[in-house]
Amino acid sequence: IVISGGTGSGKTTLLNCLGGLDEPTSGRITVGGKDVTAMNEDERTALRRDDVAFVFQTFGLVPMLSAAENVGLPLRMRRVPSVEREDRVARLLDLVGLADHARQRPSELSGGQQQRVAIARALANSPRLLIADEPTGQLDADTGAAIMSLLQSVVSSEGMTAIISTHDPSVRALANGTLRLADGVLTTSAA
């Protein structure tokens, strides 16, 4: 699902509420049958750890960690045994086409490669919902198209739902459905 709208329309706020980062001022949000609006902070943290993953336009990688270490971070937080963690990291880096870049730090990678690492990290815990806020916003058109193709493929193969905010009409064309926001109000919906 793609969420579109102008700057300040509420796209990021909506995504943050869906993922339990922000609390809505009214209404109810349900993710995977769980009422996010009724959760306490510990429950929202568990939701983000177990069911929801985020990909941001600023990548959010830890600069002093390698690509593999960045991807493995969520698995470390869940105390996944090292052999299992290393196997999952290797498979995810291969999935995003970066198996040969596992030891490189973010500063040694291009913007598109950094976004691929961020996507692999988001997939580490096999989330049910992937939230991507302007994932192609800092990328050139060709790299952005490659990232969206990768996201589309991963979402399909992993059987997850993705909600992506964007200004990019080419990204909207790839969606199964679109929502448009204006001043925090849903103005259109299409399947």
Side-chain angles (χ1 to χ4, degrees):
I1 302 295
V2 166
I3 299 173
S4 65
T7 302
S9 63
K11 298 183 304 294
T12 298
T13 300
L14 176 59
L15 294 180
N16 287 347
C17 289
L18 288 170
L21 292 174
D22 292 338
E23 293 185 42
T25 54
S26 64
R28 194 173 117 203
I29 296 172
T30 304
V31 173
K34 300 174 184 175
D35 186 350
V36 178
T37 49
M39 292 179 174
N40 63 36
E41 186 54 40
D42 287 342
E43 292 168 325
R44 285 193 305 270
T45 297
L47 176 81
R48 290 186 300 268
R49 182 190 63 228
D50 300 333
D51 297 320
V52 178
F54 294 88
V55 176
F56 302 101
Q57 78 178 54
T58 55
F59 317 132
L61 302 176
V62 180
M64 72 279 298
L65 298 181
S66 69
E69 291 166 334
N70 267 286
V71 173
L73 200 55
L75 299 169
R76 277 187 182 275
M77 294 170 70
R78 290 183 76 187
R79 302 189 195 302
V80 172
S82 63
V83 172
E84 184 182 339
R85 184 178 64 239
E86 289 170 12
D87 180 57
R88 177 88 174 137
V89 167
R91 283 187 288 126
L92 288 168
L93 286 172
D94 187 52
L95 178 69
V96 299
L98 291 176
D100 294 338
H101 299 279
R103 293 183 168 189
Q104 291 181 284
R105 288 188 169 74
S107 63
E108 300 169 320
L109 300 171
S110 70
Q113 290 171 325
Q114 289 180 56
Q115 191 62 296
R116 287 173 181 267
V117 172
I119 290 167
R121 182 184 57 197
L123 299 173
N125 286 334
S126 301
R128 295 172 62 179
L129 174 62
L130 178 68
I131 295 174
D133 193 5
E134 294 283 353
T136 61
Q138 292 195 34
L139 305 174
D140 63 70
D142 289 341
T143 304
I147 291 296
M148 287 313 303
S149 177
L150 172 65
L151 274 174
Q152 192 175 34
S153 171
V154 165
V155 165
S156 177
S157 69
E158 297 283 321
M160 70 179 69
T161 298
I163 301 176
I164 301 168
S165 74
T166 188
H167 288 95
D168 185 345
S170 66
V171 172
R172 288 194 302 265
L174 297 173
N176 294 76
T178 60
L179 302 172
R180 181 156 178 73
L181 289 175
D183 297 324
V185 176
L186 181 64
T187 59
T188 58
S189 174

